[in-house]
Amino acid sequence: MNIPVATVGAATAGVLDGLERLQGPVTVVRRCTELTELIAVSQSGIVRAAVVADEAGELTAALAERLAAAGVALVALADDPILRQRLEALRIVNAPSGVDPGALADLISAAVQALEQPVQDTRTGGSNSLADPAAAFGAGTAAPGPDDTALPEGRRGTVTAVWGPAGAPGRTTLAVNLAAEAAAAGTAVLLIDADTYGSSVAVSLGLLDESAGLAQACRLADQGLLDDAALRRISAGVSLRGHRLSVLTGITRSDRWVELRPAALAGVLAAARRIADLIIVDCGFSLETDEELSFDTMAPRRNASTLLVLEAADTVYAVGTADSVGVPRLVRALADLAGAVPGLEPRVVLNKVRASSVGRQPESQLRGAWERFGPGGEIAAFLPADYDAADASLLSGTALLETAPASALRASIAELAGVQVPGRRRGAPRTRAK
Ligand SMILES: Nc1ncnc2c1ncn2[C@@H]1O[C@H](COP(=O)(O)OP(=O)(O)OP(=O)(O)O)[C@@H](O)[C@H]1O
Ligand SMILES: [Mg+2]
């Protein structure tokens, strides 16, 4: 196997001459003068590896992902120990600039081979390089959670994604209140607003910050600089019954969606798993793979972050509105989801359940309709419509457990979160939706 390679940076000159003298497995087919030229060459399909020397400081996760998407393995040459540490954090293969040409050839061959063998998807048993962000960004070391509780060595927090079709079915309400219930019960929770269309977690929790914590975390992850301390610093805190709920707020203007690049978001999730027991992600609704809408397959993709979260999540809730528009919409969306993320088994949640939209005994009506027209599988929860509780909670910018602790809506979400609400027996019949 002969590997065609493109290079950039004058510092590579000596090594490259050595590589050529090897007449071995690597052939330098292009010496580029700048990084942009190297990227163009990589995307043209004529090389399978790129060696970056002088400009290694410019490398980011997004760039590495772009080259990987073009099937080009990346090797960086750098001498500065801090830069090499950053490259390690980004999982970019690197060596000192004075590396022996034979050793460099071996590194290039290994990097090409690694690119050809995608990371094993631990959830579905399939293989998908996006499926395990921790594998791409290093599993990390055990570290204290947001509640300053030390996680046992090697433990990774679990990721729960809350998703659902267009039409405001209640994704944010569910995500915020699941997170609040778990946090108030003492779990170290990080709530992430990754909705690239309309973020609203900050306002739901009365956080007035405009700093878009997730965008900041993505920027650091892109540069390989997101360590546990930085993630804790960026996260906003909400105090709930003496416990802290950590929050990465979303992008305040939806036209800033470009900042949530999937490679960086994968890094954020990997870091999040190190500092929290439970990570809850409020996702955007759309699953359309944006490259179908554009001829530029390398353009940033708006829905890629939603797809990445759904692939990485341990649990996915699919939320739909319990009425004659919402249910068929959810059924179609679940078919799209099965196509976009094969093997995923979402937990279906019907929200705003009310007799006025589906008739008397709404839960059994909905269950019957689901059996006849649904994609199979159970409905994990019916959340009652409770406009007074939902409005009061939004108005005050607090979770239901604070604004409407005795409401049926709060009780149903707490049950879904596995939290026992005082005065209610676990498994006791839930308050009927009116
Ligand atoms: N069970 C419920 N009963 C009454 N109102 C509800 C319920 N769940 C959510 N709502 C209200 O419905 C509206 C939409 O909810 P939410 O913002 O959670 O939806 P979403 O799916 O995140 O929407 P978006 O598309 O804007 O992200 C809000 O006003 C919320 O208070
Ligand atoms: Mg929302």
Side-chain angles (χ1 to χ4, degrees):
M1 173 177 80
N2 195 286
I3 302 171
V5 176
T7 66
V8 65
T12 44
V15 191
L16 298 186
D17 294 341
L19 270 185
E20 269 162 14
R21 272 197 299 277
L22 281 179
Q23 298 186 333
V26 172
T27 308
V28 179
V29 295
R30 191 73 168 260
R31 297 188 188 205
C32 305
T33 50
E34 52 187 41
L35 209 48
T36 43
E37 188 188 346
L38 180 93
I39 294 166
V41 170
S42 297
Q43 283 170 207
S44 71
I46 61 169
V47 296
R48 293 180 55 208
V51 177
V52 175
D54 296 348
E55 305 193 40
E58 309 286 311
L59 293 174
T60 61
L63 209 144
E65 184 195 45
R66 196 164 168 175
L67 293 185
V72 174
L74 178 59
V75 175
L77 298 182
D79 296 313
D80 175 18
I82 293 175
L83 174 55
R84 290 197 66 188
Q85 220 174 8
R86 198 166 73 70
L87 293 168
E88 289 293 331
L90 291 173
R91 289 281 168 122
I92 294 175
V93 175
N94 62 88
S97 60
V99 61
D100 168 69
L104 180 58
D106 289 346
L107 270 185
I108 294 170
S109 308
V112 167
Q113 248 174 31
L115 195 65
E116 285 167 359
Q117 292 164 354
V119 175
Q120 204 62 17
D121 178 345
T122 48
R123 193 200 59 232
T124 61
S127 71
N128 192 317
S129 57
L130 288 181
D132 189 357
F137 280 79
T141 50
D147 215 12
D148 283 329
T149 320
L151 298 179
E153 190 75 33
R155 173 136 172 228
R156 296 163 80 221
T158 58
V159 174
T160 295
V162 182
W163 171 84
R171 295 183 303 270
T172 303
T173 304
L174 181 60
V176 163
N177 288 289
L178 280 176
E181 294 293 343
T187 305
V189 184
L190 177 64
L191 173 62
I192 301 180
D193 187 344
D195 187 338
T196 50
Y197 289 85
S199 78
S200 61
V201 165
V203 79
S204 302
L205 285 169
L207 293 166
L208 297 172
D209 92 317
E210 294 280 306
S211 55
L214 181 56
Q216 285 184 54
C218 282
R219 259 193 305 278
L220 288 181
D222 198 29
Q223 295 161 8
L225 297 174
L226 186 68
D227 57 22
D228 301 359
L231 182 55
R232 277 202 202 86
R233 198 175 54 246
I234 294 168
S235 306
V238 174
S239 176
L240 286 164
R241 306 208 166 156
H243 295 282
R244 177 187 155 101
L245 166 63
S246 296
V247 184
L248 278 182
T249 53
I251 40 172
T252 39
R253 286 182 12 209
S254 61
D255 59 354
R256 285 176 58 193
W257 59 266
V258 190
E259 296 173 30
L260 310 188
R261 288 180 183 270
L265 187 54
V268 175
L269 287 183
R273 286 187 196 267
R274 297 196 300 266
I275 70 155
D277 286 326
L278 177 63
I279 299 105
I280 296 195
V281 191
D282 184 4
C283 296
F285 63 90
S286 182
L287 298 174
E288 276 164 11
T289 41
D290 318 53
E291 61 267 37
E292 284 169 13
L293 312 174
S294 151
F295 292 109
D296 182 358
T297 53
M298 283 301 136
R301 295 174 299 132
R302 186 169 196 169
N303 305 324
S305 47
T306 303
L307 291 167
L308 175 119
V309 172
L310 293 171
E311 284 176 349
D314 303 283
T315 304
V316 173
Y317 285 111
V319 190
T321 309
D323 60 28
S324 52
V325 171
V327 174
R329 194 176 269 178
L330 177 63
V331 171
R332 283 193 297 275
L334 285 171
D336 293 344
L337 181 63
V341 191
L344 191 100
E345 289 177 14
R347 303 190 70 198
V348 172
V349 174
L350 292 184
N351 188 24
K352 308 186 192 180
V353 174
R354 59 209 188 275
S356 54
S357 68
V358 287
R360 286 180 57 218
Q361 297 184 316
E363 291 189 13
S364 68
Q365 298 269 9
L366 288 163
R367 209 175 270 115
W370 196 255
E371 274 160 20
R372 287 195 299 281
F373 308 114
E378 296 233 323
I379 296 172
F382 297 88
L383 306 181
D386 189 340
Y387 296 98
D388 289 345
D391 284 349
S393 162
L394 259 191
L395 186 65
S396 60
T398 53
L400 286 165
L401 70 91
E402 293 197 309
T403 323
S407 64
L409 178 56
R410 185 259 162 137
S412 302
I413 297 179
E415 190 177 318
L416 206 53
V419 171
Q420 199 152 9
V421 176
R424 281 172 59 88
R425 263 186 307 114
R426 200 127 182 228
R430 273 168 293 149
T431 317
R432 274 263 153 73
K434 283 182 276 190

